[in-house]
Amino acid sequence: MAEAYIYDAVRTPRGKGKAGGSLHSIPPIELARTVLQGLRDRSGLDTALVDDVIFGIVEPVNEQGSNLTRVAVLYSGYDQSVPGVQINRYCASGLVATNMAAAQVMAGQSDLVVSGGVESMSRVPMGSSRGPWATDPQVSIYTKFVPQGISADLIATRYGYSRADVDQVAVVSQERAAQAWKERRFDRSIVPVRDHNGVVVLDVDEHMRPGASLESLGTLKPSFASLGQHYGFDAVAIQRYPDVENIEHVHHAGNSSGIVDGAAAVLVGSKEMGERLGLTPRARIRSFASIGSEPTIMLTGPSDAAEKALRRAGMTAGDIDLWEINEAFASVVLRFEEALGLDHDTVNVNGGAIAMGHPLGATGAMILGTLLDELERTGKSTGLAALCVGAGMGTATIIERIEA
């Protein structure tokens, strides 16, 4: 089997996902074009040699509908021979797109693939595509559907994470993200978003709240208590987990991932194509895995996916230098670390989605790029990126830095 290499990774800054956010005026196809052109221009890429473009999009409707990826390929000035497809594995879509790109290369069916994702949450809100899981009562009852915030609070309750525990994760995320931006650790990957006049609209993640403290977070009311208690979702969760008498609602806007807009792209290729193009590989994709998990608690899948990817690579958790786990909710991070026996000093060392936001379809590709940048910055070797996924799934990818 051939090996797949990462040659480059770029992302936009994350803009606040609301009408007042800096990227609200930028349609998702413009965000996609920003990273596609950024990747092309940085590598001096002959786009006629690209075999495929795969983007994750979680709400593939309206401005993100049809086949946005193919249209973005054309709109970005890529050769018309380059096809495009969009996929949806909820929050892991951008990482799954990269895993699919790697699989094509490993199988010898592609030599060069661009992967990534885009999500404009201010223009195409979460839930826009609807679907029977949350909207068809018969399906919801059968699968014991609850909103993700209830799942996050269920994890905290079952595993004994207090309000102070989850708030501490949020404070650390904010502190680390602020420090990373101060030290310009993201400079290599960021492609500024510009308007039609070439004026920079955004060049920094704007969701961060670096002044957050345990005291300030302590003033916020739980976000999901009403959903759980007044709409019956706590009862649904307890029906599935009768060992839980009452769900402690500990998550709020300050310790949950931010709603933002953004896009990311990753260039994946074979060794031979890299040599032909004069590109230097930055990392080797060692293994990847996706798993299904119990859908009511929903968000515990990342550790199982990580363990599966580790087994495929012939590795253990002790072989990984740095970890990126998407901070969908603070309890997800705590459970991931506990399940794998990790020290928080090696996890999300530049902050995460609590501080910087989670642009659904793009996040997986974003955190993979952040992981690669940090391996290079610190001279470390191996990293694992993972995300929890709606409906009970998890995805993980292991990369190994190529020494220059």
Side-chain angles (χ1 to χ4, degrees), residues 12 26 66 96 101 124 145 150 157 160 180 190 209 248 301 305 309 313-314 328-329 343 345 389 398 403:
T12 68
I26 309 297
S66 186
V96 170
V124 188
F145 164 80
I150 303 297
T157 303
I190 292 291
R209 299 181 180 90
E248 297 293 327
F329 300 90
D343 188 319
D345 288 344
V389 187
I398 298 173
E403 295 188 18

Tab-separated table of all heavy atoms in Angstrom, residues 12 26 66 96 101 124 145 150 157 160 180 190 209 248 301 305 309 313-314 328-329 343 345 389 398 403:
chain	number	residue	atom	x	y	z
A	12	THR	N	-8.933	29.634	7.050
A	12	THR	CA	-9.315	31.018	7.303
A	12	THR	C	-9.306	31.244	8.811
A	12	THR	O	-9.350	30.299	9.595
A	12	THR	CB	-10.730	31.321	6.792
A	12	THR	OG1	-11.686	30.581	7.593
A	12	THR	CG2	-10.896	30.943	5.335
A	26	ILE	N	-19.665	37.328	3.976
A	26	ILE	CA	-18.912	36.508	3.014
A	26	ILE	C	-19.629	35.179	2.793
A	26	ILE	O	-19.720	34.358	3.717
A	26	ILE	CB	-17.478	36.240	3.531
A	26	ILE	CG1	-16.790	37.551	3.945
A	26	ILE	CG2	-16.672	35.498	2.476
A	26	ILE	CD1	-16.581	38.536	2.825
A	66	SER	N	-26.492	21.845	-3.048
A	66	SER	CA	-26.127	21.266	-4.333
A	66	SER	C	-24.776	20.573	-4.176
A	66	SER	O	-24.609	19.764	-3.289
A	66	SER	CB	-26.113	22.349	-5.414
A	66	SER	OG	-25.885	21.777	-6.674
A	96	VAL	N	-12.749	13.622	8.154
A	96	VAL	CA	-13.116	12.470	7.325
A	96	VAL	C	-12.788	12.743	5.858
A	96	VAL	O	-12.325	11.849	5.136
A	96	VAL	CB	-14.608	12.132	7.507
A	96	VAL	CG1	-15.062	11.103	6.479
A	96	VAL	CG2	-14.864	11.605	8.918
A	101	ALA	N	-9.291	11.401	1.358
A	101	ALA	CA	-8.234	11.791	0.420
A	101	ALA	C	-7.028	10.878	0.581
A	101	ALA	O	-6.448	10.391	-0.406
A	101	ALA	CB	-7.837	13.246	0.656
A	124	VAL	N	-25.970	29.911	7.199
A	124	VAL	CA	-26.704	28.635	7.112
A	124	VAL	C	-26.668	28.021	8.513
A	124	VAL	O	-25.776	27.240	8.835
A	124	VAL	CB	-26.079	27.691	6.066
A	124	VAL	CG1	-26.963	26.464	5.860
A	124	VAL	CG2	-25.845	28.412	4.742
A	145	PHE	N	-33.233	10.009	20.882
A	145	PHE	CA	-32.556	11.255	20.537
A	145	PHE	C	-32.633	12.261	21.671
A	145	PHE	O	-33.691	12.460	22.280
A	145	PHE	CB	-33.184	11.865	19.281
A	145	PHE	CG	-32.820	13.310	19.079
A	145	PHE	CD1	-31.597	13.654	18.523
A	145	PHE	CD2	-33.685	14.330	19.470
A	145	PHE	CE1	-31.245	14.989	18.345
A	145	PHE	CE2	-33.345	15.667	19.300
A	145	PHE	CZ	-32.126	15.993	18.740
A	150	ILE	N	-27.498	18.096	26.036
A	150	ILE	CA	-27.949	17.124	27.042
A	150	ILE	C	-26.932	15.988	27.141
A	150	ILE	O	-26.596	15.518	28.236
A	150	ILE	CB	-29.341	16.575	26.682
A	150	ILE	CG1	-30.351	17.711	26.549
A	150	ILE	CG2	-29.789	15.537	27.704
A	150	ILE	CD1	-30.599	18.488	27.819
A	157	THR	N	-22.315	14.219	34.246
A	157	THR	CA	-22.991	13.588	35.379
A	157	THR	C	-22.483	12.171	35.617
A	157	THR	O	-22.159	11.795	36.752
A	157	THR	CB	-24.511	13.567	35.131
A	157	THR	OG1	-24.976	14.906	34.915
A	157	THR	CG2	-25.240	12.969	36.323
A	160	GLY	N	-18.747	12.265	36.720
A	160	GLY	CA	-18.436	13.049	37.900
A	160	GLY	C	-17.660	14.329	37.665
A	160	GLY	O	-16.872	14.743	38.517
A	180	ALA	N	-1.215	31.495	22.022
A	180	ALA	CA	-0.826	31.047	20.673
A	180	ALA	C	-0.902	32.186	19.673
A	180	ALA	O	-0.003	32.345	18.832
A	180	ALA	CB	-1.716	29.889	20.234
A	190	ILE	N	-2.770	30.540	8.458
A	190	ILE	CA	-3.890	31.458	8.244
A	190	ILE	C	-3.829	32.116	6.863
A	190	ILE	O	-2.800	32.658	6.456
A	190	ILE	CB	-3.899	32.552	9.331
A	190	ILE	CG1	-4.227	31.946	10.697
A	190	ILE	CG2	-4.894	33.659	8.972
A	190	ILE	CD1	-5.646	31.465	10.840
A	209	ARG	N	-12.346	34.916	24.018
A	209	ARG	CA	-12.599	35.750	25.198
A	209	ARG	C	-11.460	35.525	26.185
A	209	ARG	O	-11.608	34.809	27.183
A	209	ARG	CB	-13.940	35.387	25.834
A	209	ARG	CG	-15.144	35.588	24.917
A	209	ARG	CD	-16.435	35.220	25.628
A	209	ARG	NE	-17.598	35.404	24.785
A	209	ARG	CZ	-18.095	34.463	23.982
A	209	ARG	NH1	-17.498	33.279	23.909
A	209	ARG	NH2	-19.174	34.690	23.252
A	248	GLU	N	-27.006	16.631	35.988
A	248	GLU	CA	-26.473	17.918	36.433
A	248	GLU	C	-26.128	18.741	35.193
A	248	GLU	O	-25.278	18.348	34.402
A	248	GLU	CB	-25.223	17.712	37.299
A	248	GLU	CG	-25.475	16.960	38.586
A	248	GLU	CD	-26.334	17.753	39.550
A	248	GLU	OE1	-26.230	19.008	39.556
A	248	GLU	OE2	-27.129	17.129	40.278
A	301	GLY	N	-17.349	8.950	21.605
A	301	GLY	CA	-16.689	8.155	20.573
A	301	GLY	C	-15.232	8.462	20.278
A	301	GLY	O	-14.517	7.580	19.793
A	305	ALA	N	-12.353	5.801	18.752
A	305	ALA	CA	-11.771	6.013	17.423
A	305	ALA	C	-10.255	6.137	17.521
A	305	ALA	O	-9.517	5.593	16.679
A	305	ALA	CB	-12.364	7.267	16.783
A	309	ALA	N	-7.475	3.727	15.730
A	309	ALA	CA	-6.408	4.258	14.878
A	309	ALA	C	-5.036	3.864	15.410
A	309	ALA	O	-4.121	3.545	14.637
A	309	ALA	CB	-6.530	5.773	14.780
A	313	ALA	N	-2.087	1.537	13.552
A	313	ALA	CA	-0.724	2.030	13.351
A	313	ALA	C	0.303	1.226	14.142
A	313	ALA	O	1.504	1.494	14.029
A	313	ALA	CB	-0.645	3.501	13.766
A	314	GLY	N	-0.156	0.257	14.940
A	314	GLY	CA	0.764	-0.500	15.789
A	314	GLY	C	1.360	0.356	16.882
A	314	GLY	O	2.517	0.178	17.262
A	328	ALA	N	-15.937	20.305	21.522
A	328	ALA	CA	-17.365	20.521	21.309
A	328	ALA	C	-18.018	20.984	22.604
A	328	ALA	O	-18.809	21.932	22.624
A	328	ALA	CB	-18.026	19.246	20.805
A	329	PHE	N	-17.678	20.308	23.688
A	329	PHE	CA	-18.077	20.671	25.043
A	329	PHE	C	-16.929	20.274	25.962
A	329	PHE	O	-16.182	19.341	25.670
A	329	PHE	CB	-19.352	19.936	25.472
A	329	PHE	CG	-20.554	20.216	24.606
A	329	PHE	CD1	-20.815	19.427	23.493
A	329	PHE	CD2	-21.411	21.264	24.903
A	329	PHE	CE1	-21.915	19.679	22.688
A	329	PHE	CE2	-22.512	21.523	24.101
A	329	PHE	CZ	-22.766	20.736	22.992
A	343	ASP	N	-2.340	13.446	29.918
A	343	ASP	CA	-2.057	14.656	30.676
A	343	ASP	C	-2.525	15.848	29.847
A	343	ASP	O	-2.218	15.937	28.654
A	343	ASP	CB	-0.546	14.751	30.939
A	343	ASP	CG	-0.181	15.877	31.886
A	343	ASP	OD1	-0.765	16.972	31.752
A	343	ASP	OD2	0.701	15.678	32.739
A	345	ASP	N	-1.443	18.637	29.586
A	345	ASP	CA	-0.327	19.415	29.041
A	345	ASP	C	-0.023	19.055	27.592
A	345	ASP	O	0.645	19.818	26.891
A	345	ASP	CB	0.936	19.214	29.887
A	345	ASP	CG	0.851	19.899	31.236
A	345	ASP	OD1	-0.032	20.766	31.403
A	345	ASP	OD2	1.648	19.570	32.122
A	389	VAL	N	-18.842	13.081	17.314
A	389	VAL	CA	-19.691	13.220	16.135
A	389	VAL	C	-21.153	12.996	16.530
A	389	VAL	O	-21.461	12.109	17.334
A	389	VAL	CB	-19.294	12.198	15.043
A	389	VAL	CG1	-20.068	12.456	13.756
A	389	VAL	CG2	-17.795	12.247	14.764
A	398	ILE	N	-3.965	9.830	12.827
A	398	ILE	CA	-2.602	9.927	13.366
A	398	ILE	C	-1.673	10.384	12.253
A	398	ILE	O	-1.687	9.841	11.148
A	398	ILE	CB	-2.132	8.567	13.905
A	398	ILE	CG1	-3.025	8.112	15.064
A	398	ILE	CG2	-0.669	8.656	14.386
A	398	ILE	CD1	-2.730	6.703	15.546
A	403	GLU	N	10.784	15.032	9.144
A	403	GLU	CA	11.875	15.933	9.497
A	403	GLU	C	12.504	16.508	8.233
A	403	GLU	O	12.769	15.785	7.274
A	403	GLU	CB	12.922	15.192	10.320
A	403	GLU	CG	12.402	14.733	11.685
A	403	GLU	CD	13.489	14.180	12.564
A	403	GLU	OE1	14.675	14.444	12.286
A	403	GLU	OE2	13.167	13.473	13.547
